[in-house]
Amino acid sequence: MVLALIITIVFLLIAAFLLSIILYDLSDLAKQMSYKNKTGSNFDLTTQSRFAIVTDIQKKVNRLYCDLAKERSDRKEKEKNVQTLFTNISHDLRTPLTSIKGYSSLLRKKYGDDEYLEIIEHRLNNLNDSLDELFIFAKLSDETFEYVKEEIGLYQVICRILASYYYDFEDKKIVPSVVFEDENMVVDGNRELLERMIHNLISNVLKYGVDHFTISEMNGVVCFNNACDKTHKIDITHIFDRFYREEHHQIDSNGLGLSIVQKIADIHDWRIEASIDDDELCIAIDTNFRE
């Protein structure tokens, strides 16, 4: 009886010892995985373990990493092909579109104001805007895209662009205002991209906004606030997603406007967030943020 108890205890001690070795080997694999995930390194997990269960786990995890890397590579290649397609479509359609717009202008000169010509020109302008958005989106998505930064007075740029939309706001009966804590605020950015960002944000207000629109700045955070009549239909978690469109407006939007704004913010290492308070949409850009 005593001998059997001693044998049992010995076996338990041996099992505990072996289990501790296995746990140590698995802990070592876990540390390698943590470092690999954190740094994005491309090494294979290694182990000196003599236990088949540990080496089997190591091989399977390495195989999963390999499959994941291939999936990412394939997805990246598909994204690149889509971007190239966007660029080519934009280029290929611009020439005939310009010709059609030219003939439309000639018809207007010949026949004067006409309801159908007005509809045609409106649709042509929408198509032209969509092609421009596709081209810009593809360019911003290209990892080889290069841009030059300079010091830019943000308040002056916003006021100038906002003034160019005077009649658009008047037609929509929206009263815009600009309130900056620091009107001499300067940001380090690309002028062309910054202007595109502001144009897209203002265009978004003109499509979906009502009543009033305010651009404010405090401590380097610029907020675009506008009242909306159907904020309950806006999915705030996907508002910056590519091709996202608010349910109640489908015709004049390709869903790229705010996605382009997001990409421009990312290029400048700025943080951009959207929120809804009652019936007001706020898009805030933190120009202080650096990743």
Side-chain angles (χ1 to χ4, degrees), residues 117-168:
L117 282 176
E118 186 175 336
I119 294 172
I120 290 171
E121 288 182 350
H122 177 69
R123 294 296 183 217
L124 287 173
N125 288 330
N126 287 340
L127 178 58
N128 187 66
D129 291 342
S130 294
L131 290 175
D132 285 341
E133 297 275 70
L134 282 172
F135 178 76
I136 292 167
F137 183 84
K139 184 169 68 171
L140 294 176
S141 301
D142 188 348
E143 293 181 352
T144 63
F145 172 62
E146 297 181 354
Y147 56 92
V148 178
K149 288 185 177 181
E150 60 180 295
E151 290 188 346
I152 302 171
L154 188 58
Y155 177 78
Q156 290 76 14
V157 172
I158 287 177
C159 288
R160 175 172 54 80
I161 294 176
L162 194 61
S164 68
Y165 286 93
Y166 175 83
Y167 292 107
D168 299 281

Side-chain angles (χ1 to χ4, degrees), residues 32-44:
Q32 293 181 57
M33 291 173 62
S34 179
Y35 179 80
K36 183 180 176 75
N37 295 337
K38 184 177 180 180
T39 62
S41 303
N42 199 30
F43 64 86
D44 288 336

Side-chain angles (χ1 to χ4, degrees), residues 230-276:
K230 296 182 180 180
T231 51
H232 64 283
K233 290 191 175 183
I234 300 175
D235 186 349
I236 204 69
T237 60
H238 296 288
I239 197 170
F240 296 114
D241 289 356
R242 182 175 61 186
F243 302 129
Y244 169 78
R245 294 189 294 187
E246 293 159 27
E247 294 180 10
H248 59 292
H249 280 88
Q250 297 287 332
I251 298 176
D252 295 335
S253 175
N254 55 28
L256 286 176
L258 291 183
S259 180
I260 288 172
V261 170
Q262 169 82 74
K263 283 187 172 293
I264 294 174
D266 291 342
I267 284 174
H268 288 83
D269 294 324
W270 297 339
R271 179 167 54 200
I272 183 168
E273 296 178 336
S275 60
I276 292 177

Side-chain angles (χ1 to χ4, degrees), residues 6-24:
I6 293 173
I7 292 173
T8 301
I9 292 173
V10 170
F11 272 117
L12 288 174
L13 289 173
I14 293 173
F17 176 71
L18 294 176
L19 181 60
S20 67
I21 295 176
I22 292 174
L23 290 175
Y24 175 83

Side-chain angles (χ1 to χ4, degrees), residues 43-96:
F43 64 86
D44 288 336
L45 303 184
T46 60
T47 181
Q48 301 298 321
S49 178
R50 295 180 181 181
F51 295 95
I53 187 173
V54 176
T55 56
D56 187 48
I57 290 174
Q58 174 230 352
K59 291 176 182 178
K60 287 181 177 178
V61 171
N62 279 334
R63 194 175 300 118
L64 285 173
Y65 273 119
C66 183
D67 292 343
L68 182 60
K70 186 178 184 304
E71 183 182 338
R72 286 174 177 171
S73 178
D74 291 343
R75 186 171 66 247
K76 193 173 182 180
E77 184 64 27
K78 288 178 181 178
E79 284 283 339
K80 185 177 180 181
N81 291 336
V82 170
Q83 292 160 18
T84 302
L85 177 64
F86 284 168
T87 304
N88 291 340
I89 289 175
S90 179
H91 276 145
D92 292 343
L93 293 181
R94 278 185 178 184
T95 300

Side-chain angles (χ1 to χ4, degrees), residues 154 157-159 161-162 165 193-204 213 215 224 261 264:
L154 188 58
V157 172
I158 287 177
C159 288
I161 294 176
L162 194 61
Y165 286 93
L193 295 182
L194 183 59
E195 290 181 353
R196 167 58 64 172
M197 171 188 278
I198 297 168
H199 276 293
N200 282 18
L201 288 168
I202 292 175
S203 295
N204 189 68
F213 168 46
I215 304 175
F224 291 74
V261 170
I264 294 174

